[in-house]
Structure formats: structure tokens, C-alpha cells
Amino acid sequence: MVVLISSFLLLFSFFSEGDMWKDLSANILDSSHMTQENPQGVKRKVSYIGRIRNAEELIEHEYYSRATIELATAIKEKPDIIKPYLLLGEIYLRKNDIPKLSRLIEELKQKFPTEIQVSILEGRKLIAEEKFQEVTLIFNSIQEKLPPELQFYQAALLSLQNNHEKAKEILQSLNKLPIQEEKLIVGKEGVKEEEVDKEVSISPEFAQKINDFLVVYNDFSLLSDGKNAHLFVLLGKVLAEKNEVVLAREFAEVAVTEDLEYPDAWLLRGYTAFLAKNFESALRDLRQAYKLDPARPQTSYFLALALSETGQNEEAILFFEKANEYGFEFASEVEWKLVELFNKQRKYDQALKLYQKLVDQDTQPKQIASALHTAIDLASKPEAALEMAEKLIENKPNDAFALNMYGWSLIANKKFVQAEEALQKAEKLVPENAQTFLNLGLLYETQSEFKKAISYYQKSYQLGKKSPNNSIANLAAEKYNELKNRSPQDNSKKTEQAL
């Protein structure tokens, strides 16, 4: 069956002098949300606005390649709307792809010469390049005309220079601006951008960023013995939460310089290096944070993440286990990471033990498929797969995905009549489903009904190849070719073995 990758939930939550780090990202999207199919399995056209929303959601979950495809399609459809170009710029910023970002900005200057968002994007590029002095000179030269978003970056750079009073003054001024959400709307002439005065208003997301910075300043002023290093760490946390990795790392650098014995400073610097995919640097900083405070579970967790990224899986397992021993708040996420590492090391029995503990009706589909694959194909314990699938189907008896997982497990346990019933029910609920046809093909192949199996594999491939996630189509094609290329004598032998 299809080997599906377990979802990766990246959490950044740790306590520091009463402060808790917030969850920085969400669960990976279930790929079924991206197929744009209705319950009857009929393909429907995605609207322009729907495409932009899809791209925004994909960016938030770091599916940058798929988001780029959506945006390229949107640009081709409506080349005079700036929104998809700006979202492409956001992707390049998050990937730190400066050459592509530079080319995009030059294109936007030609296409949208008066658009203020182009100036904002250029300012953010300079910050991403760590050209802080250059961007500061630009800010000072156009202070009266500086857009609100660039004023925020001006305040952040002032904070870095310990000019906190001036930074707070700018932030308090920004905090008084009216909040206007930027929207795409449908008018008589089709889709257009709603008119928003970006020079005197701010978006809800931007307002939250400003507010979070001010909260840090207000809370820090209440600490009678507040240390400067702690303030820089708190401000750096806000920036990390808002995907401002370069600036967050600068704040961490200052915090480390201010107090070499402050574990939070090393932890922040290590985390920002991790976000920038500079894993060796992340390891050095996180090891130092661990040395200064080995009992903090969050340090062990992020150290384990960095170790796993550099292929040091044995040590990663050790630190994931330490994180849970020390009472890490998100223990189940640690266990999911352990599952991933146990599978990499082919320790399938240990992985399966954790799967049996973790899988329930709220588990992501990809994780469920991975659990059953481990039980059936890797650990050779199909009865464990059936046990997990039975729990799933008990809570979701009319869910096509649950029925498919149940059917797969029944096939593995040679309960063919029940498997056929489950898969036929799934087909009635969601006709023309590539996954159901794949499993029906497997069912009939297992029973040596090769003509039926070939037919269902072909149907699965034809449907699956239209999906953004075509792993099912690939497997269906592989199974189809395998059966078509097998000689009649081979099929005859297979039938005799089955009997």
C-alpha cells in the first residue's frame, strides 16, 4: 500500500520566568482537502478567490511548491491583481530565496509602479539580507511617507539598538491606526481588490504583531529586576512567531551577548537557526542551552529535532525521551516524532507499540495510513492493524477514508467478505474514489481475481492522476503494470497458491 509520511507538528512552547511560548504552527493539512472534490467525487472548478485562499493556507503550512502552482495559475488568469505576486514574495522571503525575490520586485516596479506594497516588499528584502544599516538609512530618509508596515520594522531595529523609548513611541502610534482587512471582492467587472488606504490603516494580522510587541514592553516594565537579555528574548519570540526569522535571530544574538549564562537566549538563537535550516548552528546553540539548564523539556525537544534533521537518530531518540521524562507539555507530539525515528531505524515493533497508543478518531489520515502500513507491511502484524481500524470505524462508520482503512486491514487479515462490504459501502458514500478502487484492486488480486483487479487498478490510476497528491495513482499504475506483464502461467500458479 501507499507509504504516507506522518504529519509534522512543529511546536515552540516553553516557559521562561512565567512566560509561555505559543504554538507556532498547525497540523499538516490532510491532502484530501486539496482535491477540490465534492462528496460525489465530481471535480469542480476552483474560483479565483478560492485559489488565493488555497495558496494562503498552503503557505501557512509550508507547502510552498503547491502554493506557487496555485499562484502562477492565478497570475495567468488575472495578471493585473497584485495579491498573488505579493504572496509569491512571501514564499521567497520564507525560503530566503533572495535572487527570485529581487527579480519579482523589479517586475512589480514595472507593473505596479505606484503600489505601496512593492516598497514594503523591498524593505523586507533588505532585512532578509541583513542590510540593517542600509534599510535604516532608507527609513530615515522617507520617515514622513513611511508605510505603517515599514514603521514596524523601523521600531524593531530601534529596539535592537536599545532605543526602546523611540520604538515604543512608533508602536503606540501604529496601534492607534484603523484596522482594515485587505480583501478580494467580486464586482460587476469581476474579481478586484477592495480599496484600502494602506498608508493610514493596518491589517488585522499586522495589528496583532504590533500589539504583541507592546505587550512585551508593558509586561517587562512591571518586572523590577528585569534583565535586558530577557527583554530581547521576549521580543525575539514575538518575531519568531510572526515568521520574522532574521530579525528574531538578531534579537537572540544581542541576548546571548548580554548574558552568556542565560539559557533562553541560547534556546532562541538555536531555534531561529533551526527555522533557517542551519541545523549545525542550531545544534551548537541548543547544546549550550541544554548544558546551562538540562532539566528544561523544551530544550531537549528542540535539540532532538535538530539531531533528527542531521541524521543523528539514536541521540535524537534519547532527547525526545528526555523531553517527555521532564514533563514536556506536548507529549503526544514527541511520541509521533519517536514513531518516525523508529520507522527510519526499522524498529517496527517499537513504532507499532506507539501507534497503537496514539491512533484514535482524531488522528490525521496520513498518520493512520502510516500506522496501518507499519503494522501490515513492515511489522507483519495485520491483527494490530485491524485492531486500530476497528476503533476508527466504530467512531466513523460512514466515513469513506475510515472504511478504506478498515477494508485494507480486513484484506490483510484474509477477511475478504467483510472487506468487500466495507469497500462497497465506501464506494457508495464517495463514488469515483481513487483510494477505494485501489483497495478493491488489492482485494481481488489477493483472491486471484486478476481481471477484476486490473480493472480497478486502472480506474484508480485514471482518477488518482488528477489529484495534486498522485501517490495513489503511482501505486495503482505499478500494480496494474505488474499484473498486465505477468504471464498467464504465473497467474495460474498464483491462483493455485490462493486455493
Side-chain angles (χ1 to χ4, degrees), residues 16-19 159 162 164-165 168 211-238 251 255 258-259 262 264:
S16 170
E17 299 179 37
D19 179 69
S159 296
N162 267 315
H164 299 295
E165 290 307 313
K168 283 191 284 186
N211 182 69
D212 289 351
F213 235 70
L214 284 171
V215 166
V216 168
Y217 272 126
N218 293 336
D219 289 350
F220 185 77
S221 66
L222 300 176
L223 297 173
S224 57
D225 57 347
K227 296 180 180 179
N228 214 33
H230 183 50
L231 173 61
F232 280 99
V233 165
L234 294 177
L235 293 171
K237 289 177 187 179
V238 171
F251 276 81
E258 292 271 347
D259 188 352
Y262 187 34
D264 281 20

Side-chain angles (χ1 to χ4, degrees), residues 404-456:
N404 264 285
M405 295 300 99
Y406 185 46
W408 177 20
S409 301
L410 288 165
I411 294 166
N413 283 273
K414 301 189 185 307
K415 298 187 177 185
F416 302 128
V417 174
Q418 289 173 263
E420 190 170 37
E421 288 174 358
L423 294 172
Q424 285 176 347
K425 183 176 179 181
E427 188 180 2
K428 284 180 182 177
L429 287 167
V430 183
E432 304 297 300
N433 182 295
Q435 188 177 54
T436 304
F437 289 155
L438 179 68
N439 280 322
L440 282 166
L442 178 66
L443 171 66
Y444 294 123
E445 181 186 355
T446 307
Q447 296 178 92
S448 299
E449 295 186 49
F450 300 115
K451 285 186 179 179
K452 275 189 176 182
I454 287 170
S455 174
Y456 277 109

Side-chain angles (χ1 to χ4, degrees), residues 197-316:
D197 192 343
K198 298 180 182 72
E199 293 188 15
V200 295
S201 66
I202 55 178
S203 68
E205 297 78 16
F206 185 55
Q208 187 63 54
K209 188 188 294 189
I210 295 164
N211 182 69
D212 289 351
F213 235 70
L214 284 171
V215 166
V216 168
Y217 272 126
N218 293 336
D219 289 350
F220 185 77
S221 66
L222 300 176
L223 297 173
S224 57
D225 57 347
K227 296 180 180 179
N228 214 33
H230 183 50
L231 173 61
F232 280 99
V233 165
L234 294 177
L235 293 171
K237 289 177 187 179
V238 171
L239 291 164
E241 287 177 348
K242 307 302 180 186
N243 293 302
E244 300 287 356
V245 177
V246 172
L247 277 177
R249 185 162 179 80
E250 288 299 311
F251 276 81
E253 293 280 4
V254 174
V256 167
T257 303
E258 292 271 347
D259 188 352
L260 288 170
E261 300 301 311
Y262 187 34
D264 281 20
W266 291 98
L267 183 51
L268 176 62
R269 198 169 82 165
Y271 180 65
T272 55
F274 180 88
L275 289 178
K277 301 189 185 304
N278 187 348
F279 301 121
E280 293 297 337
S281 179
L283 274 175
R284 287 194 296 272
D285 290 344
L286 292 167
R287 286 192 189 280
Q288 181 62 18
Y290 179 79
K291 181 180 177 182
L292 292 169
D293 187 359
R296 180 176 292 175
Q298 294 80 12
T299 306
S300 293
Y301 176 72
F302 289 109
L303 186 49
L305 286 180
L307 286 163
S308 65
E309 288 289 346
T310 54
Q312 300 176 66
N313 294 333
E314 285 290 349
E315 195 176 2

Side-chain angles (χ1 to χ4, degrees), residues 118-383:
V118 180
S119 300
I120 293 170
L121 196 59
E122 190 165 24
R124 294 180 69 193
K125 180 181 84 78
L126 290 171
I127 290 170
E129 294 175 295
E130 300 182 35
K131 295 180 178 178
F132 302 124
Q133 189 171 2
E134 186 176 335
V135 79
T136 298
L137 289 173
I138 293 171
F139 289 165
N140 292 337
S141 67
I142 57 172
Q143 190 162 356
E144 289 184 7
K145 299 178 182 178
L146 203 61
E149 192 162 340
L150 290 184
Q151 287 184 50
F152 172 82
Y153 291 110
Q154 183 184 36
L157 292 174
L158 287 165
S159 296
L160 269 177
Q161 298 163 10
N162 267 315
N163 193 346
H164 299 295
E165 290 307 313
K166 180 61 177 175
K168 283 191 284 186
E169 182 184 320
I170 293 171
L171 292 167
Q172 286 163 351
S173 175
L174 290 173
N175 206 36
K176 295 175 183 176
L177 292 176
I179 299 171
Q180 286 186 282
E181 188 170 2
E182 298 172 29
K183 293 180 183 176
L184 292 173
I185 57 174
V186 180
K188 291 181 180 178
E189 299 176 359
V191 177
K192 64 177 184 176
E193 291 175 291
E194 190 174 42
E195 301 232 354
V196 172
D197 192 343
K198 298 180 182 72
E199 293 188 15
V200 295
S201 66
I202 55 178
S203 68
E205 297 78 16
F206 185 55
Q208 187 63 54
K209 188 188 294 189
I210 295 164
N211 182 69
D212 289 351
F213 235 70
L214 284 171
V215 166
V216 168
Y217 272 126
N218 293 336
D219 289 350
F220 185 77
S221 66
L222 300 176
L223 297 173
S224 57
D225 57 347
K227 296 180 180 179
N228 214 33
H230 183 50
L231 173 61
F232 280 99
V233 165
L234 294 177
L235 293 171
K237 289 177 187 179
V238 171
L239 291 164
E241 287 177 348
K242 307 302 180 186
N243 293 302
E244 300 287 356
V245 177
V246 172
L247 277 177
R249 185 162 179 80
E250 288 299 311
F251 276 81
E253 293 280 4
V254 174
V256 167
T257 303
E258 292 271 347
D259 188 352
L260 288 170
E261 300 301 311
Y262 187 34
D264 281 20
W266 291 98
L267 183 51
L268 176 62
R269 198 169 82 165
Y271 180 65
T272 55
F274 180 88
L275 289 178
K277 301 189 185 304
N278 187 348
F279 301 121
E280 293 297 337
S281 179
L283 274 175
R284 287 194 296 272
D285 290 344
L286 292 167
R287 286 192 189 280
Q288 181 62 18
Y290 179 79
K291 181 180 177 182
L292 292 169
D293 187 359
R296 180 176 292 175
Q298 294 80 12
T299 306
S300 293
Y301 176 72
F302 289 109
L303 186 49
L305 286 180
L307 286 163
S308 65
E309 288 289 346
T310 54
Q312 300 176 66
N313 294 333
E314 285 290 349
E315 195 176 2
I317 288 170
L318 172 68
F319 278 100
F320 276 130
E321 289 174 341
K322 278 181 181 289
N324 272 359
E325 284 173 20
Y326 293 139
F328 187 57
E329 185 180 6
F330 303 98
S332 67
E333 301 312 322
V334 171
E335 289 171 331
W336 279 116
K337 289 303 295 178
L338 283 169
V339 162
E340 186 180 316
L341 290 175
F342 286 145
N343 275 328
K344 280 183 180 178
Q345 295 188 308
R346 300 184 180 181
K347 296 179 179 179
Y348 301 127
D349 287 341
Q350 288 171 269
L352 184 55
K353 186 177 179 181
L354 282 175
Y355 274 133
Q356 288 175 294
K357 174 185 176 184
L358 292 166
V359 170
D360 59 27
Q361 71 267 23
D362 297 320
T363 303
Q364 291 292 312
K366 289 186 178 183
Q367 293 171 318
I368 293 168
S370 181
L372 299 189
H373 166 69
T374 297
I376 294 168
D377 300 324
L378 304 177
S380 298
K381 292 186 177 177
E383 69 281 359

